[in-house]
Amino acid sequence: MKFQPKASHFINGEYVEDTSGAPIDVIYPATGEVIARLHSATPAIVDQALNSAKAAQAEWAAMSGTERGRVLRRAADIMRERNRELSIIETHDTGKPLQETLVADATSGADALEYFGGMAASLTGEHIPLGGGDFVYTIREALGVCVGIGAWNYPTQIACWKGAPALACGNTMVFKPSETTPLSALQVAEILIEAGAPKGVYNVIQGYGDVGASLVTDARVAKVSLTGSVPTGRKVYAAAADGMKHVTMELGGKSPMIVFADADIENAVSGAILGNFYSSGQVCSNGTRVFVQKGIKEAFLKRLSERLATAKIGDPLDEEVNFGPMVSENQMNIALGYVEKGKSEGARLVYGGERIEGDGFYMQPTVFADVTDDMAIAREEIFGPVMSVLDFETEEEVLARANDTEFGLAAGVFTNDVTRAHRIVAGFEAGTCYINTYNLAPVEAPFGGSKMSGVGRENSKLAINHFSEMKTVYVSMNDVEAPY
Ligand code: NDP
């Protein structure tokens, strides 16, 4: 098979197989062809991976931050050198066009490795003077073994966004990719070893949800970082709470994008395209509720339809193609099911809505107008290329409606009124906000959600606090006074 890795798992610096685990077929979404067969981790594999991470952790944490950082930065360089090869694997794993994977996956993973690699040497505690000579100092310590569990939309990026800050702080990791996209995390593990990481620092095991669940409850694990849906997040958070483990939850969303009549329509249409159709709409922070102010609605829809008609849909390996298949038949059917719901709820289908016939899991980019707040397509995360356009009249009204959701991952506003832009983002109940753009996630900026969309933040300096903890040391320079 075309993309068959040496084995299913990567533990203690090498590939490991155990064919008694349930088979995992890796399917190329553009053709439906099986490109690799892996096996889910058995309890023995889970045990081996956790033991390996546990054994490696003390040595890794004892290295200087400069040394750890050097390993991560070397790994970033290797990833960039191999960007094309890694992007081709990512395209086969996810179906995302090569045009996208070349610039958004291994490159984004490399950015995280470089950023946290650069930061590793400067991770410190602080000195707190108390008067009378006494003082406190704090020691920033690693948490221990961290578990990363990934979704299938950005497999390389997620493996690095979790791995890089964890390793920078002196933790080790066991990462479980989604069984839909198991290939690229193995590449990340291999590259880290090549870059000089000690064996066992970054392990990858495959598996379905049950493998993730067994990692989350294991006593050897100090922290769990999940990227996934809200229902999975709820289960994982609850399971982690039992062992009082640290958590980061990057979950789903149904984010609003507000377009005021004074906005630059061309930019707003570009933002709506990026925020709904990039990666065939399979992006957690997508702005899938597009509120367009009355007066510009028809102009907005007309320009959007014209631009969508120029999307190049087809073979994701063709670098001219900018809209590929969905990750799986199942995900395509979920999205097509929402198209039917939208129609039956009375929304107006203004673009797309059909499956594209063939062996691949393709559907058209789809736009509904006249969507109302109570429709399922406006309330539920679809995770596919289905945009809902809703009308609004006033700023006050739209902000209340934008926030009327259990989710709070992202939100965006397009307007040329600078004070209104800041007023709106101040009112948004969302972790990641955009003014006059959408869906950018540079490693320097915190990324994450509020409300049901998550706990904690990835990227930026903040991620360090989620992968380390402070030990407080009180130092007395005086005699000890006791009451008796
Ligand atoms: P899922 O929630 O179905 O799965 C996420 C991961 O958790 C998978 O690896 C899955 O394994 C694993 N898992 C499932 N059940 C359990 C369990 N009980 N214990 C431990 N692990 C478990 O999400 P998808 O993979 O379908 O990804 C899509 C979702 O991810 C969307 O809701 C999307 O919004 C969200 N997402 C959020 C992002 C963010 O940063 N906020 C970014 C990208 C996606 P398996 O696949 O084998 O079931």
Side-chain angles (χ1 to χ4, degrees):
M1 277 184 246
K2 258 196 215 159
F3 287 90
Q4 186 65 35
K6 285 185 203 128
S8 299
H9 318 289
F10 195 93
I11 300 172
N12 207 29
E14 51 195 44
Y15 277 97
V16 177
E17 190 55 274
D18 180 350
T19 52
S20 60
I24 297 173
D25 281 346
V26 189
I27 294 168
Y28 180 35
T31 60
E33 175 195 358
V34 177
I35 54 168
R37 171 163 288 178
L38 282 69
H39 293 272
S40 181
T42 55
I45 289 286
V46 173
D47 195 49
Q48 211 179 319
L50 288 169
N51 280 341
S52 145
K54 185 88 188 155
Q57 201 260 319
E59 185 203 340
W60 176 243
M63 281 166 63
S64 72
T66 307
E67 287 172 305
R68 285 200 303 273
R70 197 177 298 136
V71 170
L72 298 183
R73 284 184 288 105
R74 252 191 233 132
D77 290 344
I78 300 172
M79 283 190 82
R80 290 212 178 87
E81 280 159 24
R82 298 206 194 135
N83 183 35
R84 178 161 287 272
E85 175 199 332
L86 296 169
S87 302
I88 288 172
I89 295 174
E90 191 80 326
T91 287
H92 280 88
D93 223 358
T94 61
K96 295 192 291 181
L98 192 55
Q99 188 191 91
E100 281 188 22
T101 53
L102 281 169
V103 297
D105 291 277
T107 52
S108 152
D111 282 354
L113 290 162
E114 184 174 4
Y115 178 84
F116 289 107
M119 202 177 266
S122 55
L123 301 178
T124 58
E126 61 179 341
H127 172 266
I128 306 164
L130 294 171
D134 286 8
F135 62 94
V136 160
Y137 66 95
T138 58
I139 306 173
R140 186 179 288 280
E141 293 187 335
L143 302 175
V145 175
C146 298
V147 161
I149 301 177
W152 41 256
N153 58 344
Y154 282 83
T156 309
Q157 182 188 81
I158 295 171
C160 294
W161 279 19
K162 297 188 188 308
L167 268 51
C169 293
N171 304 287
T172 54
M173 177 158 274
V174 177
F175 186 80
K176 188 205 85 70
S178 164
E179 93 281 354
T180 311
T181 54
L183 299 180
S184 40
L186 292 169
Q187 300 292 319
V188 174
E190 244 188 87
I191 286 170
L192 279 162
I193 287 288
E194 193 179 328
K199 293 173 180 180
V201 161
Y202 189 90
N203 309 274
V204 174
I205 61 172
Q206 310 297 344
Y208 296 91
D210 60 318
V211 171
S214 70
L215 289 170
V216 172
T217 47
D218 195 281
R220 285 163 286 193
V221 173
K223 148 125 202 171
V224 180
S225 178
L226 169 81
T227 297
S229 61
V230 171
T232 303
R234 255 203 205 101
K235 280 189 232 160
V236 171
Y237 200 176
D242 200 44
M244 211 57 81
K245 298 182 198 307
H246 297 250
V247 295
T248 300
M249 296 281 143
E250 291 295 350
L251 310 176
K254 188 75 196 177
S255 301
M257 180 186 296
I258 303 175
V259 182
F260 283 95
D262 67 355
D264 178 314
I265 290 203
E266 209 56 29
N267 277 339
V269 168
S270 297
I273 288 173
L274 284 181
N276 281 273
F277 302 120
Y278 201 70
S279 299
S280 295
Q282 302 164 117
V283 180
C284 53
S285 48
N286 272 355
T288 45
R289 290 183 293 142
V290 181
F291 291 90
V292 179
Q293 197 164 24
K294 271 202 174 146
I296 58 161
K297 175 178 156 187
E298 291 311 324
F300 178 88
L301 289 173
K302 179 170 175 283
R303 197 59 197 121
L304 180 64
S305 300
E306 284 166 5
R307 301 252 317 254
L308 286 176
T310 68
K312 195 144 192 278
I313 305 175
D315 175 3
L317 291 170
D318 173 351
E319 279 182 57
E320 296 297 311
V321 164
N322 49 26
F323 189 91
M326 305 203 52
V327 75
S328 64
E329 189 167 16
N330 183 42
Q331 196 60 27
M332 177 188 70
N333 287 334
I334 291 173
L336 288 170
Y338 274 104
V339 172
E340 291 313 310
K341 264 189 210 166
K343 286 186 198 161
S344 66
E345 285 176 317
R348 172 165 60 107
L349 182 65
V350 293
Y351 196 89
E354 300 289 330
R355 175 173 186 179
I356 299 170
E357 287 313 321
D359 294 332
F361 313 131
Y362 287 88
M363 68 174 276
Q364 295 173 318
T366 299
V367 179
F368 280 106
D370 305 338
V371 177
T372 54
D373 297 348
D374 53 334
M375 291 180 184
I377 55 169
R379 302 215 67 80
E380 296 167 20
E381 184 183 48
I382 300 174
F383 224 62
V386 183
M387 180 197 291
S388 292
V389 177
L390 304 95
D391 308 337
F392 77 94
E393 289 189 32
T394 70
E395 181 180 321
E396 202 183 16
E397 166 215 338
V398 75
L399 187 58
R401 289 170 59 201
N403 286 335
D404 183 20
T405 167
E406 60 171 354
F407 299 110
L409 184 52
V413 56
F414 281 83
T415 177
N416 276 327
D417 178 339
V418 71
T419 51
R420 173 157 63 196
H422 293 291
R423 226 172 21 243
I424 290 281
V425 291
F428 273 148
E429 295 170 0
T432 309
C433 296
Y434 297 97
I435 296 176
N436 291 334
T437 188
Y438 205 83
N439 253 1
L440 305 172
V443 69
E444 296 87 347
F447 181 84
S450 22
K451 294 158 76 175
M452 292 302 284
S453 292
V455 176
R457 292 292 178 265
E458 295 200 294
N459 289 342
S460 79
K461 287 179 271 189
L462 288 185
I464 295 301
N465 289 335
H466 295 294
F467 280 105
S468 59
E469 64 187 351
M470 288 300 190
K471 178 181 278 172
T472 300
V473 184
Y474 190 113
V475 181
S476 172
M477 303 295 281
N478 300 288
D479 291 336
V480 179
E481 282 181 30
Y484 47 85

